[in-house]
């Protein structure tokens, strides 16, 4: 291979120089550590009595194996390469392999974050400075935006106000004049949608801002569950508000159907922006998933929710939230049981029952076409491979297509949403802050322990590994536990201690649908994104993705000040 292969390395690339001294018929075999129990694949033939330069990907640690075709001797090693580093590996005539040596200093992988902070910090400073000027009336009123009043435009997806609820550590205060919106809920939604926009834009092309190829979990894998959980809380509060206002259930259900259909249509239209070919059009997606899980959860609440909290004046008041939602939970548990039975017992042609792997190279390519087991089989049967999501886990495992927003995983996603619904019911059933916090903490601990036990507190082991693509039970429990934990922290800081008003995430969270649609439709357009000038590092990608995210946040903030909200 040409010696200039060590020049002009791109981001996440390093160069390995293999020196062979009178060692003919040598081949380099390679595989990433991320590819669980995968066979090594042939990468390059090594030149005899010379140097062979090989570009390597630095995202994951690599298994490397130099093999002599005639003697079948080999030397295998696991090594972690760093971006733009140049490494040397020597092999002698008696087939002795040296240690891999670093001969060129790699680039600092996290230095681009310094440049990103130089963009993010001034943006926050400008926002707080403008707010300060408006609060102190320094800015003339002709230039000040109108502030948002008590708008009744709650729609469960992130716009408008929540039902007023009583927030007090010990003594409930009257709703009149002393009620507060759940600002921490809007703030949590805002944080989730900002992270979602940033990750969808590319996250600076860092691996930890991308979804796990199969088993395991990254920061990106928490974001959609958080958004779904927040949606569940909003469902409980919004529907209780409508029922209290004596709205007939058939009209409430009509709104549920309308919103579900609207989300479904928006998702289909959004998918057509990048692919309008009917032969390969993907009918599934995030908004379609939100439409289905919202419909299921909101329908259950519309049918069974009581207009007023459940009170018994007995010791059972301690679990009044569970008593009030017993019928809903019974149905949700049935849905989870259906998911579990299908996952582990549905016969899939050519695959073992209960298969949960990614297929392809996984486990020595023993089940190549079994990607996703029953979940993948159902989606391929209903939609066909040409209409499936083409991404994960294909790059690592070289698998057949699998859709992470598939049919079967909707059931476990519904479980996650209903965790959020129950968090909202706790708000409605209990007026004391300490009563709410104790129950949320209990849910945090119990869900985390159940999820951890299911996956054996590991990445690949356990009865049900943690897996975003399958939306496995362990994944639903662990992400639900994390959502409870974050909400507890926000609730205490914003509602209880009043240390922070949630700004600017509070305002941004009230236009989440606009942010999601906007950044997807204008993904590759100026002024949000441009063709990178320098592709050799993460710097320009990270700055560009931060800039685009900040720009979308600024648009949401202006819309909030102008009382403009995109509702469903």
């Amino acid at each position: 291979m040409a010696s200039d292969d060590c020049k002009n390395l791109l981001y996440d690339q390093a160069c390995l120089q293999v020196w062979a001294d009178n060692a003919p018929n040598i081949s380099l075999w390679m595989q990433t550590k991320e590819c669980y129990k995968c066979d090594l694949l042939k990468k390059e033939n090594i030149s005899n009595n010379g140097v062979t330069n090989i570009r390597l990907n630095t995202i994951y640690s690599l298994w490397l194996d130099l093999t002599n075709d005639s003697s079948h001797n080999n030397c295998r090693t696991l090594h972690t390469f760093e971006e733009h580093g140049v490494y040397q590996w020597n092999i002698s005539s008696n087939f002795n392999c040296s240690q891999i040596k670093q001969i060129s200093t790699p680039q600092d992988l996290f230095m681009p974050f310094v440049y990103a902070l130089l963009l993010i910090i001034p943006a926050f400073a400008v926002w707080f400075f403008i707010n300060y000027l408006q609060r102190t009336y320094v800015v003339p009123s002709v230039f000040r935006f109108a502030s948002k009043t008590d708008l009744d435009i709650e729609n469960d997806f992130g716009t408008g106000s929540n039902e007023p609820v009583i927030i007090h550590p010990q003594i409930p205060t009257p709703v009149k004049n002393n009620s507060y919106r759940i600002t921490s809920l809007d703030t949590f939604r805002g944080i989730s949608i900002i992270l979602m926009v940033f990750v969808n834009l590319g996250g600076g092309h860092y691996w930890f801002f991308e979804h796990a190829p199969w088993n395991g979990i990254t920061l990106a894998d928490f974001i959609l569950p958080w958004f779904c959980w927040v949606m569940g809380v909003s469902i409980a509060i919004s529907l209780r508000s409508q029922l209290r206002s004596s709205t007939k259930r058939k009209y409430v259900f009509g709104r549920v159907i309308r919103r579900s259909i609207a989300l479904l249509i928006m998702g289909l239209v959004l998918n057509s922006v990048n692919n309008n070919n009917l032969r390969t059009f993907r009918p599934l997606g995030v908004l379609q998933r939100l439409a289905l899980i919202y419909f299921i959860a909101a329908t259950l609440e519309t049918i069974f929710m009581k207009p007023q909290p459940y009170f018994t004046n007995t010791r059972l008041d301690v679990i009044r939230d569970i008593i009030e939602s017993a019928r809903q939970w019974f149905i949700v548990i049935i849905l989870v049981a259906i998911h579990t039975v299908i996952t582990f017992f549905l016969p899939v042609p050519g695959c073992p029952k209960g298969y949960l792997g990614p297929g392809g190279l996984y486990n020595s390519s023993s089940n190549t076409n079994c990607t996703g087991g029953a979940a993948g089989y159902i989606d391929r049967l209903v939609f066909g491979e040409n209409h499936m999501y083409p991404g994960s886990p294909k790059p690592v495992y070289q698998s057949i297509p699998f859709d992470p927003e598939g049919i079967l995983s909707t059931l476990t996603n519904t479980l996650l949403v209903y965790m959020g619904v129950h968090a909202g019911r706790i708000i409605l059933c209990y007026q004391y802050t300490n009563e709410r916090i104790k129950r949320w903490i209990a849910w945090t601990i119990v869900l985390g322990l159940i999820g951890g036990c299911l996956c054996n507190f590991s990445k690949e082991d356990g009865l049900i590994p943690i897996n975003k693509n399958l939306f496995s039970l362990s994944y639903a429990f662990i992400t639900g536990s994390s959502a409870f934990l974050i909400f507890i922290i926000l609730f205490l800081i914003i509602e209880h201690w009043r240390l922070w008003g949630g700004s600017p995430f509070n305002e941004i969270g009230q236009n989440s649908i606009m942010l999601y649609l906007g950044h997807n439709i204008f993904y590759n357009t100026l002024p949000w994104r441009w063709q990178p000038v320098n592709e050799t590092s993460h710097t320009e990608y990270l700055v560009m993705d931060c800039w685009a995210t900040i720009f979308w946040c600024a648009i949401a903030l202006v819309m909030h000040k102008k009382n403009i909200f995109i509702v469903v």
Side-chain angles (χ1 to χ4, degrees):
M1 188 171 287
S3 61
D4 62 358
D5 275 5
C6 280
K7 298 179 180 179
N8 301 320
L9 294 171
L10 302 179
Y11 66 91
D12 289 335
Q13 285 188 345
C15 180
L16 175 63
Q17 297 180 343
V18 181
W19 294 75
D21 182 14
N22 194 23
N25 304 318
I26 303 296
S27 300
L28 175 65
W29 295 68
M30 188 175 67
Q31 187 55 265
T32 66
K33 185 182 178 182
E34 179 68 21
C35 197
Y36 186 66
K37 294 183 178 180
C38 296
D39 294 329
L40 274 63
L41 302 177
K42 187 174 181 179
K43 174 69 174 179
E44 197 76 34
N45 290 322
I46 305 303
S47 301
N48 187 25
N49 294 320
V51 58
T52 304
N53 294 327
I54 304 169
R55 290 192 181 212
L56 303 175
N57 194 289
T58 62
I59 295 178
Y60 306 113
S61 297
L62 297 175
W63 283 106
L64 302 174
D65 194 350
L66 286 174
T67 304
N68 185 305
D69 293 339
S70 59
S71 64
H72 301 288
N73 293 327
N74 61 76
C75 50
R76 176 177 293 196
T77 185
L78 176 66
H79 196 83
T80 301
F81 297 90
E82 298 182 60
E83 186 177 85
H84 292 183
V86 178
Y87 301 83
Q88 182 176 310
W89 200 9
N90 298 329
I91 180 170
S92 62
S93 57
N94 58 356
F95 208 78
N96 288 326
C97 299
S98 69
Q99 296 287 331
I100 296 178
K101 299 178 182 180
Q102 178 183 300
I103 61 175
S104 177
T105 304
Q107 183 169 298
D108 187 349
L109 183 65
F110 298 101
M111 186 61 190
F113 283 94
V114 175
Y115 301 107
L117 287 175
L118 294 177
L119 182 65
I120 295 171
I121 293 175
F124 272 95
V126 169
W127 165 251
F128 287 114
F129 181 66
I130 292 175
N131 272 353
Y132 171 76
L133 293 180
Q134 292 183 353
R135 288 197 307 269
T136 55
Y137 299 96
V138 173
V139 180
S141 60
V142 67
F143 295 112
R144 296 175 69 238
F145 294 114
S147 60
K148 180 172 174 284
T149 56
D150 186 17
L151 300 177
D152 183 21
I153 52 176
E154 167 67 27
N155 76 343
D156 311 330
F157 294 102
T159 55
S161 61
N162 303 308
E163 178 195 16
V165 293
I166 301 168
I167 310 293
H168 198 280
Q170 295 296 335
I171 304 173
T173 56
V175 174
K176 182 179 178 180
N177 296 329
N178 289 313
S179 59
Y180 299 90
R181 292 178 54 238
I182 309 177
T183 307
S184 52
L185 186 63
D186 285 330
T187 302
F188 193 3
R189 186 189 292 113
I191 293 172
S192 300
I193 194 63
I194 289 172
L195 289 174
M196 188 181 295
V197 170
F198 175 71
V199 167
N200 288 349
L201 290 171
H205 287 204
Y206 282 96
W207 68 268
F208 41 81
F209 290 137
E210 296 179 0
H211 297 292
W214 196 248
N215 291 336
I217 194 165
T218 67
L219 174 63
D221 295 323
F222 283 97
I223 299 171
L224 179 60
W226 288 346
F227 192 84
C228 294
W229 188 92
V230 170
M231 184 179 73
V233 180
S234 297
I235 287 173
I237 295 172
S238 173
L239 293 185
R240 173 64 61 82
S241 176
Q242 294 178 55
L243 294 175
R244 277 181 173 176
S245 64
S246 300
T247 304
K248 292 184 178 180
R249 293 183 189 267
K250 65 178 181 180
Y251 295 126
V252 175
F253 184 61
R255 294 172 183 171
V256 170
I257 294 176
R258 187 187 71 241
R259 289 169 179 168
S260 302
I261 293 175
L263 274 177
L264 187 65
I265 293 174
M266 285 193 296
L268 294 172
V269 172
L270 195 61
N271 283 9
S272 70
V273 172
N274 297 320
N275 179 16
N276 60 2
N277 187 339
L278 293 179
R279 295 178 180 176
T280 58
F281 178 76
R282 180 190 176 214
L284 301 173
V286 171
L287 291 182
Q288 295 90 312
R289 166 63 63 82
L290 291 177
L292 291 174
I293 60 178
Y294 167 75
F295 176 78
I296 295 172
T299 298
L300 288 177
E301 289 303 299
T302 301
I303 295 173
F304 297 114
M305 177 181 272
K306 298 179 182 295
Q308 299 295 333
Y310 180 91
F311 291 99
T312 63
N313 293 321
T314 66
R315 293 180 180 179
L316 292 179
D317 277 348
V318 175
I319 55 170
R320 73 170 72 108
D321 55 310
I322 297 176
I323 294 174
E324 183 177 308
S325 59
R327 289 175 292 183
Q328 296 96 308
W329 273 116
F330 178 73
I331 295 174
V332 171
I333 291 172
I334 289 177
L335 295 178
V336 173
I338 292 172
H339 172 276
T340 304
V341 170
I342 293 175
T343 297
F344 287 98
F345 298 103
L346 178 71
V348 178
C351 304
K353 284 186 179 180
Y355 183 78
L356 300 175
L361 300 174
Y362 178 83
N363 199 17
S364 300
S365 304
S366 56
N367 303 104
T368 304
N369 296 320
C370 297
T371 303
Y377 173 67
I378 292 173
D379 292 337
R380 289 189 291 272
L381 196 64
V382 174
F383 301 107
E385 286 189 16
N386 291 336
H387 301 279
M388 307 280 285
Y389 181 71
S392 177
K394 190 174 182 180
V396 171
Y397 290 99
Q398 300 182 19
S399 306
I400 59 177
F402 178 86
D403 207 301
E405 279 79 48
I407 297 173
L408 189 59
S409 59
T410 302
L411 301 179
T412 43
N413 202 332
T414 300
L415 169 65
L416 177 68
V417 172
Y418 220 78
M419 294 175 192
V421 172
H422 198 86
R425 179 168 285 105
I426 289 173
I427 294 175
L428 298 173
C429 287
Y430 302 97
Q431 295 183 344
Y432 301 120
T433 298
N434 60 346
E435 290 180 326
R436 295 165 176 169
I437 297 297
K438 287 178 182 177
R439 284 161 178 80
W440 289 334
I441 290 176
W443 278 87
T444 301
I445 296 173
V446 171
L447 294 176
L449 289 176
I450 293 175
C453 291
L454 288 175
C455 68
N456 199 28
F457 295 93
S458 65
K459 179 180 177 182
E460 300 288 351
D461 300 326
L463 176 64
I464 304 177
I466 184 168
N467 189 295
K468 185 265 180 189
N469 294 283
L470 294 171
F471 218 103
S472 65
L473 268 178
S474 57
Y475 174 73
F477 283 123
I478 289 173
T479 54
S481 173
S482 69
F484 271 101
L485 177 60
I486 292 176
F487 186 63
I488 289 170
I489 296 171
L490 292 175
F491 192 88
L492 288 173
I493 293 174
I494 296 173
E495 253 78 38
H496 182 64
W497 294 322
R498 309 286 176 84
L499 299 177
W500 175 41
S503 183
F505 305 106
N506 168 33
E507 294 85 348
I508 293 170
Q510 296 175 39
N511 248 322
S512 56
I513 290 296
M514 182 280 297
L515 280 174
Y516 185 82
L517 292 175
H519 90 275
N520 275 286
I521 294 173
F522 299 102
Y523 177 82
N524 273 326
T525 59
L526 289 169
W528 294 276
R529 295 180 67 82
W530 57 87
Q531 183 64 38
V533 177
N534 182 6
E535 299 183 74
T536 62
S537 74
H538 290 273
T539 301
E540 187 171 359
Y541 288 100
L542 184 61
V543 171
M544 178 170 58
D545 294 340
C546 288
W547 157 252
T549 304
I550 291 172
F551 202 156
W552 280 115
C553 290
I555 293 173
L557 290 170
V558 171
M559 292 179 65
H560 179 272
K561 290 292 184 181
K562 292 290 188 179
N563 289 339
I564 300 173
F565 300 92
I566 306 299
V567 298
V568 180

